[in-house]
Amino acid sequence: MRAFALAVLLVSSIWSTLARATPAQAPADDPTTLLWYEHPAEQWQDALPVGNGRLGAMVFGRTDEETIQLNEDTCWSGGPYTTTVPGGAKALPEIRRLLFAGELIEAHRLFGRHLMGYPVEQQKYQSLGNLVLTFPDTGPHTAYRHQLDLDSAVVTTSYERGGARFTREVFSSPVDQVLVVQLGAAAERALSFTAQLRGDRNQAHSNYATDYFRMDGEGGSGLVVRGKSADYLGVAGKLRYVVRLRATSPDGTITVDGDRLRVAGASAVTLVIAAATNFVNYRDVTGDPEARVDAALARASGKTYDAAREAHVAEHRRLFRRVRIDLGATPASARPTDERLKAFAGANDPALPALLFQFGRYLLISSSRPGTQPANLQGIWNKDMNPMWDSKYTTNINTEMNYWPAEVADLGECAQPLFAMIRDLTDQGAAVAREHYGARGWAFHQNTDLWRVAAPMDGPNWGGFATGGGWLVTHLWEHWLFTGDAAFLRENYPVMKGAAEFLLDLLVPHPTYGWLVTCPSTSPENFPLAPGNDRFFDEVTGSMSSGTALVAGSTIDTQIVRDVFGAVVKAAAILGTDPELRARLAEATAKLAPMRIGRRGDLQEWLEDWDQREQSHRHVSHLYGLFPSAQI
């Protein structure tokens, strides 16, 4: 879901072209709100996403065997656990001494032995399964179109075959909390197909002997899948999930044969899918997924398809239509979306950046709503049980990037799940600050999961990023800047204060320069070409490392500290509290290391003028001070 980042990067340069949307109906083929294709998706990445913040689906648009891949935002491996390791702080003075002495690899080894969390990785966001629709007629088709209307949040697939026109619509309703699939045929009783809910057995990291997993038919018009979360790294899978499908038709015959639902001779069929787990919060898994699913299906069954669709569209447009963007359009803007992308380098298509901007807003609306989990690395869309980077919350930029459009693109409510996660992180974060650093407040690093673990993870090169919590709380302050909501500021000030207190204790005077610097520190996912920083065997990861990322006083760390201290000073003044803390933060800010210009005229990524080991690195962390901050 890289459109999050693409959309965000457009915000600052084109914000002046945005205007409040009028209530008028959007054009039917608006090139800024319509993704459309003349062929089905060939792979998962090409499928079209729908979501209500909690239930997500990727729609392929196939005509022979359609696949709609399903996700539910609390379907993760494992269960409540902690990664805090008591007593690690005793090694902190020696780690700092080694870093200041330039013995970076020895500091890395000591960090790995004493400050790393355990287990050494987080849990994984997992796929819920697939709805597979198999059609008996596999002959040639014509007049094919597969589209996602961002303005209505409905995916439509239509084509002609055997003299009949077939249409499918798919949406995930934030009103009824169900996924809806409507199939229709223009010719009378021309629609027949077989439906199957195929759950994903936890093949990776799971115990087959105890893995609870069943796919069944249910009654005369339903299907159900029941399963459990995977065990991973010694953390028992404690989640139970239920996925239930109900089918209705005004004229077709619906039967259930084993784990397959068969429809014959219909003009229209509505499939409604509800899914839930037993997750209550990061410490509580006593919910009843059966009751939750039944309640959702009961709500949805009281509505006609048209009524459900109308309610869904109205709720989506309440958020989506707050912003419109018009950069102009040309004949190139009327082409299918994949052709527009391929031709963009040589075609005049100003509406394509506008489409990307709106697609980013659409993805945030669809994967993060009040009461849901925040958008993870892939939003809520993930097809794998063992996904890339675990599809978790990576907070050395990715989670923050997901939410860069929230305030500036008038989607402040969509950041509420992020704010809730930040508050949750203070729980284990306080223990990590105390046990790993001997510090006050709360600490958080570069990754977390559904269970809100907070200790350094994935090895010192990645886990050593100790300012992740500070970066997150800047989103709380930004929400205040956009809203002036005094109640919000009052509620979240203790969270901001706790982050500042930890960062105060993380700062130490540099023995050579005298400036206050974070120590230990990293510039995320980059390795400096520092003297002696060579290849070595990393005991934590069990593999050779090209060097260590651990340093003292990275540029991004200092920039984040400056933002957090400034925000807390201002917030405390607004609330009329903590005058002594304000004075201490102001004093520490004056002693922070400055940003430094290197021998090549560039902004240094580290306190020293070191080159980076990777010449094509994807992180430019020291430019945090330019954006999202405004220090440059």
Side-chain angles (χ1 to χ4, degrees):
M1 297 290 110
R2 289 172 289 179
F4 273 133
L6 290 169
V8 167
L9 294 175
L10 288 163
V11 170
S12 58
S13 63
I14 60 180
W15 178 250
S16 61
T17 67
L18 302 180
R20 280 281 187 172
T22 63
Q25 178 71 29
D29 287 328
D30 184 345
T32 70
T33 61
L34 194 67
L35 288 78
W36 70 279
Y37 306 84
E38 294 180 323
H39 55 82
E42 296 179 0
Q43 55 186 345
W44 182 87
Q45 291 89 333
D46 300 326
L48 295 177
V50 296
N52 63 11
R54 189 181 66 85
L55 289 176
M58 295 288 282
V59 185
F60 285 68
R62 294 170 177 167
T63 60
D64 299 337
E65 185 176 88
E66 168 67 309
T67 297
I68 300 176
Q69 188 265 318
L70 307 172
N71 288 106
E72 199 271 353
D73 69 346
T74 63
C75 189
W76 288 69
S77 66
Y81 74 114
T82 178
T83 55
T84 306
V85 177
K90 64 181 181 294
L92 190 58
E94 178 63 7
I95 292 171
R96 285 172 165 163
R97 186 194 70 78
L98 290 168
L99 288 172
F100 286 134
E103 300 180 48
L104 306 185
I105 293 176
E106 288 306 310
H108 178 110
R109 288 193 171 112
L110 202 58
F111 189 106
R113 292 169 190 157
H114 297 281
L115 265 65
M116 289 302 302
Y118 186 82
V120 296
E121 295 181 21
Q122 292 85 7
Q123 299 301 306
K124 300 172 182 288
Y125 181 55
Q126 300 195 302
S127 173
L128 191 65
N130 297 277
L131 170 63
V132 179
L133 307 177
T134 304
F135 300 94
D137 187 352
T138 59
H141 61 263
T142 58
Y144 179 91
R145 182 170 172 124
H146 184 47
Q147 72 174 42
L148 166 60
D149 182 356
L150 303 180
D151 184 56
S152 65
V154 176
V155 169
T156 304
T157 306
S158 59
Y159 57 94
E160 294 181 4
R161 173 181 277 164
R165 182 153 189 84
F166 297 90
T167 303
R168 294 197 296 271
E169 289 192 333
V170 182
F171 62 86
S172 184
S173 171
V175 178
D176 297 316
Q177 288 299 306
V178 293
L179 181 78
V180 181
V181 182
Q182 175 78 354
L183 302 95
E188 185 176 357
R189 296 183 177 272
L191 182 61
S192 298
F193 63 91
T194 299
Q196 187 179 29
L197 276 179
R198 297 178 183 173
D200 280 314
R201 183 182 291 275
N202 287 314
Q203 296 176 1
H205 321 296
S206 192
N207 184 339
Y208 282 118
T210 60
D211 190 22
Y212 171 66
F213 179 82
R214 290 189 63 181
M215 300 186 299
D216 295 300
E218 195 169 58
S221 61
L223 300 172
V224 63
V225 171
R226 297 180 177 92
K228 69 174 285 292
S229 60
D231 307 331
Y232 185 52
L233 292 175
V235 180
K238 295 294 186 180
L239 288 175
R240 301 295 185 270
Y241 64 84
V242 176
V243 188
R244 188 168 275 129
L245 177 149
R246 288 286 180 270
T248 57
S249 173
D251 54 3
T253 300
I254 300 175
T255 57
V256 173
D257 178 12
D259 61 0
R260 288 170 169 79
L261 182 144
R262 304 185 188 279
V263 176
S267 300
V269 178
T270 303
L271 307 178
V272 178
I273 298 173
T277 74
N278 59 333
F279 180 86
V280 177
N281 60 49
Y282 64 98
R283 293 188 290 186
D284 185 351
V285 289
T286 62
D288 186 343
E290 298 277 359
R292 291 171 172 176
V293 165
D294 289 345
L297 287 174
R299 286 193 303 269
S301 65
K303 295 181 179 179
T304 65
Y305 172 74
D306 289 342
R309 188 186 192 280
E310 182 179 352
H312 155 75
V313 171
E315 169 54 22
H316 173 73
R317 285 176 175 168
R318 180 182 65 84
L319 296 172
F320 187 78
R321 285 194 170 185
R322 290 174 178 175
V323 170
R324 69 171 183 234
I325 178 169
D326 184 0
L327 303 179
T330 68
S333 306
R335 300 169 69 180
T337 305
D338 52 341
E339 295 182 15
R340 292 173 70 185
L341 287 166
K342 291 176 183 177
F344 185 67
N348 179 17
D349 185 1
L352 184 58
L355 176 63
L356 284 172
F357 176 85
Q358 291 287 38
F359 188 42
R361 294 182 69 248
Y362 170 86
L363 291 173
L364 186 57
I365 293 168
S366 301
S367 63
S368 183
R369 279 176 165 268
T372 74
Q373 296 302 308
N376 62 46
L377 273 175
Q378 295 178 194
I380 52 173
W381 301 281
N382 165 43
K383 66 180 176 63
D384 298 314
M385 303 306 283
N386 186 23
M388 295 290 287
W389 300 287
D390 303 328
S391 195
K392 52 183 179 272
Y393 301 101
T394 299
T395 51
N396 62 20
I397 193 171
N398 305 83
T399 299
E400 293 88 349
M401 285 183 78
N402 285 355
Y403 286 91
W404 284 350
E407 308 297 344
V408 296
D410 208 353
L411 296 174
E413 301 98 316
C414 293
Q416 287 188 22
L418 175 67
F419 303 153
M421 183 177 78
I422 297 170
R423 291 189 291 268
D424 289 347
L425 287 169
T426 64
D427 186 349
Q428 291 198 34
V432 170
R434 180 180 65 252
E435 298 295 338
H436 291 240
Y437 295 93
R440 299 161 300 158
W442 63 278
F444 174 66
H445 297 78
Q446 99 293 4
N447 271 324
T448 192
D449 55 23
L450 182 69
W451 312 110
R452 306 303 190 244
V453 295
M457 306 299 288
D458 303 321
N461 285 334
W462 292 266
F465 182 62
T467 55
W471 193 343
L472 287 177
V473 301
T474 64
H475 286 254
L476 300 173
W477 179 242
E478 178 150 334
H479 187 73
W480 152 258
L481 292 176
F482 271 81
T483 65
D485 185 340
F488 175 88
L489 185 64
R490 193 173 297 109
E491 177 189 8
N492 291 283
Y493 173 74
V495 179
M496 298 170 62
K497 176 182 176 181
E501 288 175 328
F502 168 72
L503 294 176
L504 265 179
D505 291 347
L506 186 66
L507 293 171
V508 290
H510 193 285
T512 301
Y513 302 113
W515 299 317
L516 288 178
V517 296
T518 55
C519 189
S521 169
T522 70
S523 189
E525 304 190 27
N526 208 354
F527 301 80
L529 280 172
N533 192 16
D534 301 317
R535 285 174 56 83
F536 70 101
F537 182 77
D538 190 334
E539 298 169 352
V540 175
T541 62
S543 61
M544 292 299 296
S545 175
S546 59
T548 182
L550 280 188
V551 296
S554 70
T555 298
I556 184 176
D557 270 11
T558 303
Q559 293 167 339
I560 289 172
V561 169
R562 186 173 286 112
D563 272 353
V564 173
F565 286 3
V568 172
V569 166
K570 293 172 184 175
I574 292 167
L575 297 173
T577 189
D578 289 330
E580 293 182 4
L581 177 62
R582 278 185 265 163
R584 291 179 59 210
L585 294 176
E587 180 182 5
T589 299
K591 296 178 181 179
L592 290 174
M595 287 179 271
R596 309 187 76 190
I597 303 302
R599 65 190 183 281
R600 295 175 177 159
D602 57 342
L603 178 66
Q604 291 180 191
E605 188 162 357
W606 298 278
L607 201 60
E608 307 297 338
D609 192 8
W610 294 323
D611 291 330
Q612 65 179 27
R613 187 175 300 277
E614 300 180 41
Q615 296 305 307
S616 58
H617 195 69
R618 63 185 180 274
H619 282 245
V620 284
S621 301
H622 52 310
L623 296 186
Y624 168 96
L626 178 66
F627 188 85
S629 185
Q631 296 172 38
I632 300 173

